[in-house]
Amino acid sequence: YRPNSTKKRFKVVMAAGVLLVLFSLVAPTVGRGITSVILWPMVKVGYWWNESTALIPHYFKTHTAAARRIEELENQMLEDKVGHLTIERLRFENGSLRGMVGEGSGDRVLASVLLRPNQVPYDSLVLDKGRSSGVEENAPVYLADDVVVGFVSRVFKNSSVVTLVSTPKLESTVYVVGPNIYTTAVGVGGGILQIGVPQDIALNVGDMVILPTIHSGVFGQITHIEKDPSAPEQFGYVSLPVNLNSLYLVTIGRSSIEPVDFATVEDIVSRVKTDITTTAVPEGMLIEIPSATSTAASSESQL
């Protein structure tokens, strides 16, 4: 019968522990000496690693410090980027508020957004202004000065419901600046319109899209294009300049949208395109060719 090996090992360990305790009590000086002999190499290596300027420890310490500094700089860059985005958002909101107020023009009603998509079904907004503030059905709703987002579909005493032009399957006549074409845009939800045109028309990301049936009705820019070489058409997607979830203030036109003829639409498109490409320059700062000089040059070219 073989003895239990576990019990045997336990007895050996216990005996060694008892002997070690007795030895430390009987000969403490010898114990400290043995301990110092064992720990001295470790202390020496630690001092060499931390204080020495030799090649190996210096290389590893420099590498560690450089990696830590790189991490700090990356974190700083991330913080700066977040701060820059915050500044740009605040600047856009400040410009939007200035455009909304209109410096006392009186042709708009400033309204706060109470509910937005994901809080209400479809692409809709609920505003805090209604009939008591002069809001009418079918009045246009703007973001900033000229970016149209939809129209008032229902009016109550102190609130109103806005149907966004990006409501799924809602069709709108639009004008695309760039290829300079009229086409039909279809809402796909989420503040996005889809434009389908033949493949041979040059659509580009950044092309401005105008809703000419609404006065000063700029909707946004083409942000994405889908092309399938085997399909006869391509699709451009237009989104609002701000996310619907961050939409807090809009303005409402005081009059309803009225049907317009094509001549009026052409005039609106021409005016909006001019507003997009030009700006008011203070007198004395705009350099132009004098009219007399240009007339004389024209006459000489004809001779």
Side-chain angles (χ1 to χ4, degrees):
Y1 178 79
R2 299 181 58 184
N4 192 319
S5 59
T6 302
K7 291 183 178 180
K8 185 177 180 180
R9 284 197 299 270
F10 177 75
K11 291 179 180 179
V12 171
V13 171
M14 289 295 295
V18 171
L19 290 176
L20 181 61
V21 171
L22 292 175
F23 180 78
S24 62
L25 294 175
V26 174
T29 304
V30 177
R32 286 196 298 270
I34 295 174
T35 304
S36 63
V37 170
I38 295 173
L39 296 179
W40 180 83
M42 300 173 61
V43 174
K44 189 69 175 177
V45 171
Y47 178 82
W48 172 76
W49 181 265
N50 293 320
E51 304 297 334
S52 175
T53 58
L55 178 61
I56 294 177
H58 179 72
Y59 169 78
F60 281 102
K61 286 186 290 186
T62 304
H63 179 74
T64 303
R68 188 181 300 111
R69 182 58 179 165
I70 290 173
E71 183 179 0
E72 292 175 355
L73 292 174
E74 288 177 346
N75 292 334
Q76 184 64 42
M77 288 176 62
L78 181 59
E79 292 177 1
D80 292 343
K81 184 177 180 180
V82 172
H84 176 72
L85 291 176
T86 302
I87 292 172
E88 289 298 319
R89 181 178 62 81
L90 292 175
R91 183 179 294 136
F92 178 82
E93 290 180 355
N94 182 50
S96 299
L97 290 174
R98 289 178 181 273
M100 289 173 179
V101 172
E103 298 183 355
S105 60
D107 60 346
R108 302 277 185 90
V109 177
L110 183 63
S112 297
V113 179
L114 301 177
L115 298 173
R116 55 188 59 81
N118 295 331
Q119 298 172 318
V120 288
Y122 308 109
D123 270 28
S124 303
L125 303 176
V126 176
L127 309 181
D128 67 343
K129 293 295 190 297
R131 194 176 297 110
S132 60
S133 302
V135 176
E136 300 179 359
E137 283 194 8
N138 298 321
V141 178
Y142 297 92
L143 170 66
D145 187 38
D146 58 355
V147 178
V148 64
V149 295
F151 59 91
V152 177
S153 55
R154 297 188 67 183
V155 181
F156 305 97
K157 182 179 179 180
N158 296 310
S159 63
S160 54
V161 178
V162 177
T163 297
L164 300 178
V165 293
S166 58
T167 297
K169 298 184 180 181
L170 180 63
E171 295 185 353
S172 305
T173 300
V174 297
Y175 181 88
V176 185
V177 180
N180 298 327
I181 58 169
Y182 290 93
T183 185
T184 299
V186 181
V188 295
I192 298 175
L193 295 179
Q194 182 191 64
I195 296 174
V197 296
Q199 288 274 11
D200 57 349
I201 293 178
L203 282 183
N204 294 289
V205 172
D207 287 346
M208 189 70 68
V209 176
I210 303 170
L211 290 167
T213 56
I214 302 176
H215 178 69
S216 301
V218 175
F219 180 79
Q221 294 179 317
I222 294 178
T223 56
H224 178 68
I225 296 175
E226 286 186 359
K227 290 186 177 182
D228 183 356
S230 62
E233 60 183 1
Q234 58 183 324
F235 296 97
Y237 293 88
V238 191
S239 59
L240 288 169
V242 296
N243 192 299
L244 291 177
N245 291 327
S246 60
L247 191 59
Y248 296 100
L249 291 171
V250 295
T251 54
I252 309 170
R254 289 193 178 274
S255 57
S256 302
I257 301 171
E258 299 292 340
V260 293
D261 55 23
F262 188 71
T264 304
V265 167
E266 286 273 77
D267 181 65
I268 293 174
V269 168
S270 177
R271 185 171 63 254
V272 173
K273 289 172 67 176
T274 301
D275 292 342
I276 292 171
T277 57
T278 61
T279 187
V281 179
E283 186 177 355
M285 297 187 66
L286 183 63
I287 306 301
E288 292 183 309
I289 300 175
S291 57
T293 304
S294 59
T295 304
S298 177
S299 302
E300 290 178 3
S301 63
Q302 291 178 358
L303 293 176

